Each structure stands twice: as C-alpha cells, then as structure tokens.
Amino acid sequence: MTLPRARRMDLVQPNAVGELLRMGADPAITSFAGGYPDATLFPLEQLHAVYDTAVREQGQSAMQYTVSDGSPKLRAQIAARMARHGVTCTADDVLMLQGSQQGLDLVAKLMIDPGDVVITESPTFVGVLIAFNPMQPRYAGVRLGPGGMDMDHLEEVLKKNPGAKLLYTIPDFQNPTGATMELAARKRLIALANKHNLVVVEDTAYREVRFAGEAPPMIKSLDTEGRVILLGSFSKILAPGLRLGWAIAAPELIQQLGLLKLAADTQCSTVNMAAASLFLERFDLDDHIGVLRQAYRRKKDLMLDTMRQHFPQEVRFTDPDGGLFTWATLPSSFNTEDFMRRRALSEAKVAYVPGASFFPDKLEHNHMRLNYSGQPDAKIVAGMTALGKLLKDELARKG
Ligand SMILES: Cc1ncc(COP(=O)(O)O)c(C=O)c1O
C-alpha cells in the first residue's frame, strides 16, 4: 500500500547524482564535487570573538526571538554594503534568509503555479531546480556563451513562451560554468524583462569572489521597475555554517517574501545574525574577501595548469575570473556519469559532478563540474593528474 501524497511530490525524487556523490564521500576519494569554500580560510579567531560578545554581552537579546525579517541592524549593514554595487536600498528592503537557498524556495512559492514556464540558464544551479520542482514548473533553458546568458536565444525563448513570468540568473561566475554576464547583456536582459513583464531573480552568491577583471554592475542596479529580486549570501565570503543570506526587492515583493519566510521558519537564527553584525562592525570583511580572492586565484591556476598538462587535448574547460568552479566539456558522445561510476571513482579515486544534473530541460551528458576551492593543493595536483591520465586512457579505448 502506498501512502497518500501531494501530486507535487512526483517531481521531488532522489537522483542518481545523489548516490554518486555519496560514493564520493568515501575518505579514499578526493571529491571535487562540492561547492565548499576552503575551510582553512574561515576567520575562526574573529568569529570566536564575535560569538563570545554576542553571548556574553548581548545574550538576552541574541538568544531571544526577533522580527521575522531579521535583525534590523544587520539588514542596515547589508543595505549599506549594497550601495557600492550601485543598489540603493534601506534595511526595510532587505529580508534575511537562511542562506540564499531559502530565497529560491520562497521565490518558488511566490511565483510558480503548476505548468508555469521558468527561464534559467542552461546549465544552471542544481539548487534552483530542487527548490522550484515541487511547484511543478516547466523549464525553458537559455544557452550560455562566454559572455553569460545568450540574449538572442533568450528572445527566441520568450517568443515561444509568451506567458513566462519568472527568469532566474547567476550573472557572476555562474554555477556551474563560471561564466559572467557582460554589461550589454545585462542591459538587454532588463529591457526584455520590462517588455515581457518578467520577474528576474539575480543570484549573486559568487559575485564578491572575483580574482580578475572588473565587475559589471549588478542587474538590480539597472532595474527601474522593481522587478529584480536580488539574492545574496555570506556563505562564500564568510562561512556557510552561519546559514545567512538575504533578498533585496521592491516593497510589495519583499513583504510577500517576508510572509512566506514567517511561515517557513519564523526567522533566521538571532545569535548568528548578532555575530555577523558584530563581525561587520568590528572587522574588515573586505580584507578577508581579499585573502579569499588571492587563495582562490592560486588554486584555480593550480587546477587549470595541471589540467592543461594532463588532460587530453579534446577536453575544453572554462577559465573563470572568479567563483569556485571550472566546467569541462568532453566529446559529445562521452557520458561523464557513466565514466565516474565505472572508472573515475575506483581508478582515479576522484569525484566530480556529472554535468547532466545541471540542465533544466535538454540534458547534455558530456560535461563535468570541478571545484577548486575545497581541496588542498597536493590533492588538486594528484587528483587532476590521475583524472587526466584516466580520461586519456578512456578516450584512446573509445578510439
Ligand atoms: C548559485 C548559488 N546560489 C545559491 C547557493 C546557496 O548558498 P547558500 O544557501 O549557502 O547561501 C549556492 C550554493 O552553492 C549557489 O551555488
């Protein structure tokens, strides 16, 4: 007998990648699959100091419930940081989230009725598909080029899907490809959103982890009609264990997201918000981000240099200016999921994320996402060397 369930659960299923990643958690395997920041760079001394103050000196309020939108002081500090990205807002425009992932869950509830078309980059972040799937959308993927989402293709997709109302993008160091959207594309995106009355979710999870070049303006800073919901996060610039992110949007949208937040979990952790606020007050987060940028640039170079040396000629991979990932593309008949299951885990002792899981509609099987931030140098070199040699062997066998 099967127990009754909501129909929406049809789309909430464990997938093969979950099983592969569990296999990759074996300590004998070096995993390049996760999106983990380098834990050795967490500013633990400073975090210790601010948690100490939060508990000892502010304990009665830091351990109490607070307003569901989140600590007003922290929201004001975030609003002030946003000004440097050209986004003018106040604490009232900011909603604190349990990581930006929660923003995706709340946006799904706010925006998606069953059968609605949601536009995303193709490939896109797995977490958005997981968050949106229960609301039973249909996805329309837009091709990615080196300059981010391909705007000509977006125009085509909008023509085919005139009822589309939601577009999700990661314009800076996109997960999984590392691509960044150029300024001209950002302007065109806003013009198209205005024309077609779209709500745009701009996910900026990696924006501040830039180690080369100049940042184009945030899409939100080009938004004159209040149709962009900006998502941000402390996960990649401070520590993901805080589970603190934020949404910034026009009053009508932020208020409704706030009501959904109240229903979901009442509020973010008061003590974590107090600690983050004290961190911003007492220490220089930008100094810390500077340390991260240097370290990730070095690790990215190390990974890509090793790949250039050992990977077969036929494999192409992206060279991002920031973020945590490179995206490797193999010949079109190659299946990276099958290769990982058959050989990469057992012979190279390496895990990665097979690319197919990132595609919203038409799956492609010949890609892999590799993370360079989470493993120490020696493991990056050993892992990429072993993977490259094994790929050469596999491609030679295939003839
Ligand atoms: C593009 C993107 N958005 C959002 C998130 C969620 O991050 P968090 O919930 O830790 O803020 C991630 C995490 O890896 C991500 O890659």
Side-chain angles (χ1 to χ4, degrees):
M1 188 180 65
T2 38
L3 294 171
R5 229 72 53 88
R7 269 194 298 278
R8 74 177 72 88
M9 291 309 290
D10 292 350
L11 285 172
V12 183
Q13 299 288 344
N15 62 23
V17 173
E19 178 217 321
L20 278 183
L21 297 184
R22 268 191 299 284
M23 288 157 83
D26 174 345
I29 306 277
T30 306
S31 178
F32 298 97
Y36 286 18
D38 183 343
T40 66
L41 298 174
F42 292 153
L44 295 181
E45 285 299 316
Q46 287 120 315
L47 285 168
H48 185 196
V50 292
Y51 272 93
D52 192 62
T53 304
V55 175
R56 279 181 207 272
E57 293 171 28
Q58 304 175 0
Q60 290 189 358
S61 62
M63 291 297 164
Q64 188 55 281
Y65 287 115
T66 184
V67 289
S68 70
D69 291 351
S71 148
K73 187 170 149 213
L74 180 59
R75 282 156 52 217
Q77 287 165 309
I78 290 168
R81 279 184 74 79
M82 282 301 120
R84 66 171 75 181
H85 299 283
V87 174
T88 317
C89 62
T90 70
D92 290 342
D93 306 311
V94 181
L95 172 69
M96 291 310 301
L97 301 167
Q98 190 87 246
S100 50
Q101 180 66 36
Q102 183 174 42
L104 301 173
D105 180 57
L106 302 184
V107 164
K109 291 175 182 146
L110 179 77
M111 293 297 304
I112 306 172
D113 290 316
D116 276 355
V117 173
V118 173
I119 300 173
T120 71
E121 282 133 359
S122 178
T124 188
F125 172 45
V126 183
V128 79
L129 303 176
I130 293 170
F132 287 3
N133 281 348
M135 296 298 135
Q136 304 167 288
R138 286 180 295 132
Y139 294 104
V142 179
R143 264 194 313 268
L144 268 171
M149 192 184 261
D150 177 334
M151 289 299 138
D152 291 336
H153 191 210
L154 174 59
E155 284 209 56
E156 268 173 49
V157 166
L158 284 166
K159 260 189 211 131
K160 277 193 203 135
N161 298 282
K165 57 186 187 190
L166 179 64
L167 181 147
Y168 168 79
T169 179
I170 311 154
D172 310 287
F173 319 120
Q174 202 250 5
N175 181 1
T177 62
T180 291
M181 195 187 290
E182 289 163 349
L183 173 59
R186 292 174 191 236
K187 287 184 174 162
R188 241 177 112 189
L189 174 59
I190 278 292
L192 286 168
N194 290 345
K195 181 170 163 200
H196 294 268
N197 197 20
L198 298 175
V199 168
V200 174
V201 176
E202 178 183 19
D203 185 338
T204 65
Y206 301 96
R207 181 173 171 93
E208 296 208 71
V209 190
R210 169 177 285 278
F211 38 69
E214 288 291 310
M218 280 185 171
I219 297 172
K220 178 80 187 144
S221 74
L222 308 171
D223 172 26
T224 52
E225 299 190 354
R227 57 177 67 256
V228 176
I229 300 173
L230 177 107
L231 297 180
S233 176
F234 284 121
S235 289
K236 304 303 190 294
I237 53 173
L238 191 50
L242 293 167
R243 304 309 305 130
L244 285 177
W246 55 89
I248 296 174
E252 185 197 340
L253 292 172
I254 213 75
Q255 276 158 22
Q256 290 194 318
L257 286 168
L259 293 171
L260 293 166
K261 164 82 183 167
L262 183 61
D265 61 359
T266 315
Q267 56 157 101
C268 293
S269 150
T270 321
V271 67
N272 289 355
M273 289 191 284
S277 173
L278 284 163
F279 191 102
L280 291 174
E281 194 172 84
R282 278 208 208 151
F283 302 110
D284 190 340
L285 180 58
D286 294 327
D287 271 1
H288 177 64
I289 293 172
V291 172
L292 298 180
R293 286 177 173 158
Q294 274 198 350
Y296 292 160
R297 182 198 348 235
R298 212 184 44 70
K299 285 192 167 204
K300 185 271 290 178
D301 285 342
L302 185 66
M303 178 176 265
L304 265 59
D305 286 346
T306 316
M307 290 168 77
R308 283 184 194 108
Q309 232 179 311
H310 294 285
F311 271 41
Q313 289 294 328
E314 304 91 304
V315 184
R316 286 178 290 122
F317 41 88
T318 57
D319 187 352
D321 286 341
L324 308 185
F325 309 107
T326 179
W327 175 250
T329 299
L330 289 106
S332 59
S333 61
F334 197 100
N335 185 318
T336 53
E337 191 176 319
D338 166 69
F339 174 69
M340 180 155 148
R341 195 181 296 281
R342 263 190 312 107
R343 302 196 68 189
L345 287 170
S346 56
E347 294 179 52
K349 304 273 182 226
V350 157
Y352 51 81
V353 188
S357 49
F358 297 98
F359 286 87
D361 45 6
K362 298 173 205 87
L363 306 194
E364 293 178 17
H365 294 276
N366 59 320
H367 310 273
M368 55 176 77
R369 190 194 72 179
L370 294 161
N371 163 270
Y372 43 75
S373 57
Q375 292 290 353
D377 292 5
K379 292 208 164 184
I380 292 177
V381 173
M384 287 306 108
T385 305
L387 184 59
K389 288 185 175 158
L390 195 65
L391 283 169
K392 276 187 180 155
D393 181 70
E394 179 75 4
L395 289 174
R397 282 189 198 185
K398 287 188 173 216

